Amino acid sequence: MNKDASVRLQDNIVLEHYGLNELHLESVRHYREQFAKVKPNHPWNGLETKDFLYKIGAWGKIRNTSKEGLTLAGLLMFSEERMITEVLPQYFLEYREYDDDMLWSNRFTSQDGTWSGNIYDFYFKVMNELKDGSEAEKEAMHEALVNAIVHADYNGDGGIIVERQRSYVQFSNPGLFGIPLEQAFSGGVSHLRNPNVFKMFIYIHFCKRAGVGLKTIETICLQQPVIDQYDFQERTVITLPIVSFPERHKQDDDLEMICDWSDNLELADSINNDENSYNSDENSINSELESINKELESVNKESNCVNSGPNSVISENNSYNSDQNSINNLTNSINNEEETNIDQELWSIAEIARKKKRLAPAKMEEVILQLCAHRPLMLKELAYLLDRTPDGLRNNYLGKLLAEGKMRLKYPEQLNHPRQAYITNK
């Protein structure tokens, strides 16, 4: 299925060649337990699997024919990565966490084969990693994560990425808001990209009514969240600041989470039990010969991996610990001249970006070019000056400016040079 065709897919479309064999049994079982927990007397609790899935919108029937199968929403929620990418080749989920040296200390993706790779299980795995912090922070993270899942454009590039650093947690998903941000913040109006996925989360009380997600995040967040939309990549990024970042306590499973999610932490260990999976090779109705996503075209080949080679998001040139240019102590006042080597002229040039979190892309590019014309600047220095995340700058601006020949690297032959910097071409 080519991308032009898949773009037209809605999450209620019936995939007639995808049946119960494509389900991940443990995910369905866990969802039904959650449903019964919040709706103990509901008549759907007594239904057989197929009938239950039909009621919640995960199974569909094509009228005037005898054909039926999983809906796209059901595939996303309860299947496995291998089947999902046959229909949605761009589908990708990732959680990554950095230590003080800006190296990955924890990471998992939908492609690693240790769990199902569906969006339902992704929610629990991510929330298990974000269980530290205040109750307000945890609730805001829940809202931001569910928002990314239900509003993502699963035909878009880049997938859903949750990134945790010491001072913030960032939720990034393909797709822009369907309504103006001001209207989204005011609440009451929503443009749902995946209404059936949204409905399935509502059934287990993980969502409220449409149109209140951003307003809820803004209300409960201890500091103002930052929401960026990047037209160039068609991505939405929500950044939640962390007020306190206590040491991780891996053995403490007693912390409670919104919607009582802490009762389900065992899901991360049991979610991909081979013997429980409905997707065993001998039962699969999606044989290799009939696959609509042949291996040669798979976006999950190593050569196409979004984290391969020089494009890796953990390249050494992103280190925040270069001795001679250290700006690690980002909480210190900018007026402390002994602890920052960013001069006043650069600081003045970048002021407009710090004041405006939704700066026009063309204006941001102009500011970056002005800064790097003054002197070569490392990624960490640009991020500090502009008050933006390193990944956001690299993915949305620097890569584009390099490709257009407006900038060059200080060490073009050594992409991972520890003092790699960006220079504006005169």
Side-chain angles (χ1 to χ4, degrees), residues 135-163:
E135 290 304 313
E137 286 174 343
K138 290 185 286 187
E139 185 174 355
M141 290 174 189
H142 157 84
E143 291 287 346
L145 178 57
V146 172
N147 183 83
I149 290 173
V150 303
H151 289 291
D153 176 6
Y154 291 101
N155 301 293
D157 296 327
I160 299 176
I161 298 175
V162 180
E163 177 181 301

Side-chain angles (χ1 to χ4, degrees), residues 30 58 89 114 122 132 137 148 160 190 233 241 247 257 264 275 282 327 354 375 401 413:
H30 189 271
T114 61
F122 182 66
D132 298 335
E137 286 174 343
I160 299 176
S190 182
Q233 287 191 323
E247 291 297 319
M257 198 59 171
N264 308 296
E275 60 269 25
E282 58 270 23
I327 52 173
R354 293 192 303 277
R375 68 174 174 85
L401 292 172
E413 304 302 323

